[in-house]
């Protein structure tokens, strides 16, 4: 099973939590779109189909990594390489 970079995964979870709070407070179409976008990305990143499952998988992966040592920083856009 592929695992996301832990720093990237942590950033996604934090962004999801922030946007969920923002959308609950504002309830705008823009806050909804941003929450849907990060929810989709979180699901894709964790290989799940629901946000609940994605958060559960993310928590398990982050727990596994935190027990093995410090996190490395997430790669910047120029550092990410996609291979076919």
């Amino acid at each position: 099973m592929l695992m996301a970079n832990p720093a990237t995964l942590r950033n996604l979870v934090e962004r999801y939590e922030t946007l969920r709070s923002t959308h609950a407070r504002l309830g705008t179409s823009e806050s909804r779109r941003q929450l849907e976008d990060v929810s989709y990305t979180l699901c894709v990143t964790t290989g799940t189909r629901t946000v609940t499952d994605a958060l559960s998988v993310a928590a398990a992966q982050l727990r596994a990594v935190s027990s093995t040592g410090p996190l490395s920083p997430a790669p910047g856009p120029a550092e990410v390489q996609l291979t076919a």
Side-chain angles (χ1 to χ4, degrees), residues 1 3 6 14 19 24 26-27 31 33 35 44 52 54 57 60-61 68 73-74 82-84:
M1 176 181 180
M3 288 183 56
E14 289 172 0
L19 288 170
L26 300 177
S31 65
R33 185 194 60 75
L35 181 59
V44 169
T52 302
V57 167
Q61 288 183 6
T68 62
L82 301 177
T83 58

Side-chain angles (χ1 to χ4, degrees), residues 16-77:
Y16 170 81
E17 290 170 352
T18 299
L19 288 170
R20 185 180 62 179
S21 175
T22 299
H23 182 61
R25 189 171 28 87
L26 300 177
T28 64
S29 59
E30 178 63 19
S31 65
R32 183 185 72 241
R33 185 194 60 75
Q34 290 179 352
L35 181 59
E36 289 171 353
D37 287 350
V38 77
S39 297
Y40 173 81
T41 304
L42 191 55
C43 287
V44 169
T45 302
T46 58
T48 59
R49 301 185 98 191
T50 67
V51 174
T52 302
D53 290 344
L55 293 171
S56 177
V57 167
Q61 288 183 6
L62 291 171
R63 273 193 309 274
V65 171
S66 67
S67 66
T68 62
L71 299 178
S72 60

